[in-house]
Amino acid sequence: MASVTLSEAEKVYIVHGVQEDLRVDGRGCEDYRCVEVETDVVSNTSGSARVKLGHTDILVGVKAEMGTPKLEKPNEGYLEFFVDCSASATPEFEGRGGDDLGTEIANTLYRIFNNKSSVDLKTLCISPREHCWVLYVDVLLLECGGNLFDAISIAVKAALFNTRIPRVRVLEDEEGSKDIELSDDPYDCIRLSVENVPCIVTLCKIGYRHVVDATLQEEACSLASLLVSVTSKGVVTCMRKVGKGSLDPESIFEMMETGKRVGKVLHASLQSVVHKEESLGPKRQKVGFLG
Amino acid sequence: MAGLELLSDQGYRVDGRRAGELRKIQARMGVFAQADGSAYIEQGNTKALAVVYGPHEIRGSRARALPDRALVNCQYSSATFSTGERKRRPHGDRKSCEMGLQLRQTFEAAILTQLHPRSQIDIYVQVLQADGGTYAACVNAATLAVLDAGIPMRDFVCACSAGFVDGTALADLSHVEEAAGGPQLALALLPASGQIALLEMDARLHEDHLERVLEAAAQAARDVHTLLDRVVRQHVREASILLGD
């Protein structure tokens, strides 16, 4: 994990500020930093999104490829996650340095999407047992400013919302052999429903309080964190404790309640932003990394 | 050649450019706050990010330290979704290692390494979208990033690619032109002195035509220098305004 070195005086300053509900950058304990979301950033992909959360910068690309359904679920497509911790974030990620963190984040994403309510995988089926769509969700971590899990989950949800899969028809002739025909119309495509895709809210225990959206410095002061994966209806789909400290059961319940409350607000904001961007259509001014 | 006609009878390319015309170039310096220097560039549909850390103490084995100059360390990485077909790994494959070596040679020629003995300069280049001319976009982005980091350089390093089709030299190849399999030349140029920092070519090209292709690439690199210089001056002007000068 990318880390920052703090002196004891700096840590005490941060902890005391959190206990007074006044963080170093002036936020309250349940406030997020400014989040910027943009979709359709990379035109080579079926769907893409860029999220900038404070100094954390994430780029997600989704590529749809045709594959074979898995044996245990012949009527469904599936999602594959890969997290690339770019050396741009910190020199420690050079070469294989970022593999451990990337694997940890990818495993968390697998667990979040490992239930039938997150994404309707049956829509990705082309013909049962033979062909299906495989969505490769590739996360690129460009800058590390703390709170990676939240930023990555927001970017994945926005990228899945932006994903357009070409419509495929299965033609069957008299001899029984099947042909797969791709539609000629580039606008004839399948869109995924991301209504139930959850977002992660990370709650860091600092002192005897917990904060949302910790910066790198605040993460260095935190002994333990709780990842809560919340859908837009407030349903918790996954929970995980990270960090080397321990948590009291009472504070876990409080953190869960805070995570649910903050998660609903986060979902509402994200949904309104991506729908507004979508409604602009071709008139949208693409910014990407130039703005 | 059969199939796609890369150059029409009227002298236009597949995307409507003339032979010596560049794709649209947009660039920005100072993309990331936490890096010492960073830059982003778009050359047509090729998008690259470069990040510079350093000069700093040698990381890893101290035996790599050079007593009289800085060690330039480069890593090239391209996102798995950057190409039409998904890549298996972002870096570590043969092409990425070769590209990293080429970038290192290019910037060892340009950076005044003797000013920072026993230290290390890290240059990390990330390709977000690849549509031909990847090496040139990486070099141009890295040049802006090194300048953003305030590391002394002899000159800009401006790079461009060139090809040869039907007796005509083409500048700034796109992916369609590269995939057609003709000769491709990649050139990195120090524009003020006219010296070449890196030169690479593949496929066959008659010696009689080499001069014209080289000249086309050099001219394109000088055009790139004009654009990059404009970006740097704009960035410095904005920084001066923020400082209150």
Side-chain angles (χ1 to χ4, degrees):
Chain A
M1 174 74 74
S3 60
V4 69
T5 306
L6 294 184
S7 71
E8 281 306 306
E10 281 173 300
K11 289 183 180 177
V12 168
Y13 183 75
I14 290 174
V15 171
H16 286 185
V18 165
Q19 280 164 190
E20 300 293 332
D21 196 26
L22 184 64
R23 296 210 241 165
V24 169
D25 48 14
R27 289 182 286 148
C29 283
E30 294 185 11
D31 294 338
Y32 265 84
R33 286 170 286 181
C34 179
V35 187
E36 300 172 21
V37 181
E38 185 175 1
T39 58
D40 206 12
V41 181
V42 182
S43 58
N44 275 352
T45 56
S46 306
S48 61
R50 183 213 174 188
V51 165
K52 195 161 165 57
L53 170 57
H55 284 323
T56 300
D57 210 319
I58 308 286
L59 182 64
V60 172
V62 179
K63 270 195 182 291
E65 287 184 13
M66 232 175 263
T68 307
K70 300 191 166 174
L71 277 184
E72 60 268 23
K73 292 171 182 172
N75 293 326
E76 296 178 357
Y78 55 97
L79 272 67
E80 291 279 349
F81 294 95
F82 175 74
V83 178
D84 174 22
C85 298
S86 174
S88 311
T90 173
E92 276 100 55
F93 290 160
E94 185 182 349
R96 301 182 160 279
D99 282 3
D100 290 346
L101 177 62
T103 304
E104 182 190 347
I105 299 173
N107 287 338
T108 305
L109 290 171
Y110 274 114
R111 190 178 301 120
I112 285 165
F113 282 87
N114 188 30
N115 67 86
K116 50 175 61 80
S117 66
S118 289
V119 173
D120 184 18
L121 298 174
K122 286 183 162 59
T123 58
L124 300 177
C125 178
I126 298 169
S127 62
R129 246 180 307 273
E130 290 171 8
H131 293 102
C132 72
W133 285 111
V134 184
L135 293 188
Y136 290 96
V137 183
D138 298 314
V139 179
L140 183 57
L141 172 57
L142 291 168
E143 201 181 6
C144 243
N147 201 20
L148 293 181
F149 286 90
D150 298 32
I152 286 173
S153 69
I154 293 167
V156 166
K157 177 162 180 165
L160 288 175
F161 173 83
N162 182 242
T163 298
R164 291 171 166 83
I165 302 164
R167 197 174 293 274
V168 174
R169 258 172 285 275
V170 182
L171 309 176
E172 194 166 347
D173 55 17
E174 314 84 46
E175 294 115 33
S177 66
K178 291 177 180 173
D179 247 356
I180 290 182
E181 184 184 82
L182 213 65
S183 176
D184 284 341
D185 185 5
Y187 294 98
D188 186 11
C189 59
I190 299 168
R191 301 287 299 274
L192 289 177
S193 167
V194 298
E195 183 71 26
N196 288 319
V197 172
C199 278
I200 298 175
V201 179
T202 303
L203 301 119
C204 284
K205 186 78 178 192
I206 298 181
Y208 57 80
R209 293 190 69 153
H210 53 269
V211 301
V212 155
D213 185 25
T215 63
L216 220 48
Q217 289 79 24
E218 284 159 350
E219 280 179 357
C221 297
S222 167
L223 286 178
S225 306
L226 191 72
L227 305 186
V228 182
S229 169
V230 189
T231 67
S232 55
K233 300 181 179 68
V235 178
V236 173
T237 66
C238 176
M239 217 191 317
R240 192 168 147 235
K241 179 240 154 200
V242 296
K244 57 188 184 294
S246 55
L247 290 171
D248 189 78
E250 200 63 38
S251 51
I252 289 182
F253 292 135
E254 288 171 17
M255 289 156 95
M256 266 181 65
E257 292 305 314
T258 305
K260 280 201 241 176
R261 181 166 64 252
V262 172
K264 280 188 202 169
V265 175
L266 182 66
H267 273 283
S269 306
L270 179 60
Q271 247 147 243
S272 68
V273 163
V274 291
H275 279 100
K276 183 176 151 200
E277 191 186 37
E278 178 95 356
S279 63
L280 291 179
K283 292 178 296 182
R284 183 172 68 115
Q285 190 90 36
K286 286 198 185 183
V287 176
F289 291 87
L290 292 168
Chain B
M1 65 207 337
L4 203 53
E5 195 184 56
L6 294 183
L7 201 63
S8 71
D9 294 336
Q10 292 82 24
Y12 292 108
R13 297 206 238 168
V14 175
D15 48 13
R17 289 186 281 148
R18 292 199 173 272
E21 205 172 324
L22 299 181
R23 291 176 290 180
K24 183 183 185 185
I25 294 181
Q26 288 175 279
R28 181 187 167 210
M29 293 166 78
V31 183
F32 297 135
Q34 292 178 164
D36 294 326
S38 58
Y40 168 76
I41 198 164
E42 288 182 8
Q43 281 188 230
N45 275 331
T46 302
K47 302 172 180 176
L49 270 165
V51 171
V52 171
Y53 290 93
H56 59 83
E57 245 181 282
I58 295 278
R59 199 168 16 89
S61 170
R62 279 192 177 273
R64 295 197 304 163
L66 302 167
D68 58 339
R69 63 181 199 274
L71 173 77
V72 178
N73 173 47
C74 291
Q75 178 179 286
Y76 167 91
S77 180
S78 66
T80 49
F81 51 81
S82 63
T83 49
E85 202 78 12
R86 182 181 181 265
K87 286 184 64 183
R88 290 243 138 242
R89 297 161 67 201
H91 54 257
D93 55 318
R94 183 188 53 80
K95 188 197 166 186
S96 302
C97 294
E98 187 198 13
M99 198 76 96
L101 275 175
Q102 287 174 358
L103 285 168
R104 176 148 76 83
Q105 289 163 16
T106 305
F107 282 94
E108 277 173 350
I111 294 176
L112 301 177
T113 50
Q114 67 270 19
L115 298 180
H116 314 285
R118 282 189 204 83
S119 61
Q120 178 175 336
I121 297 170
D122 292 321
I123 301 176
Y124 300 125
V125 184
Q126 178 81 50
V127 173
L128 305 181
Q129 193 174 326
D131 189 52
T134 306
Y135 169 76
C138 292
V139 168
N140 297 330
T143 285
L144 293 177
V146 171
L147 290 170
D148 188 44
I151 295 175
M153 286 174 83
R154 292 164 52 197
D155 197 353
F156 281 79
V157 191
C158 304
C160 202
S161 56
F164 193 74
V165 169
D166 290 344
T168 306
L170 308 179
D172 197 14
L173 303 174
S174 65
H175 175 68
V176 170
E177 289 154 349
E178 281 184 359
Q184 295 164 39
L185 182 132
L187 178 83
L189 186 79
L190 306 177
S193 57
Q195 294 180 346
I196 291 175
L198 189 121
L199 178 64
E200 191 192 62
M201 204 196 80
D202 55 303
R204 293 186 307 160
L205 182 67
H206 198 282
E207 189 185 357
D208 291 348
H209 304 313
L210 180 60
E211 188 75 26
R212 282 161 52 204
V213 178
L214 254 175
E215 181 49 41
Q219 179 57 46
R222 283 190 286 267
D223 295 343
V224 169
H225 170 250
T226 305
L227 292 165
L228 297 190
D229 187 65
R230 198 178 298 162
V231 170
V232 173
R233 290 178 190 279
Q234 174 70 24
H235 182 68
V236 171
R237 202 174 303 125
E238 284 165 8
S240 301
I241 290 170
L242 290 180
L243 288 175
D245 289 349

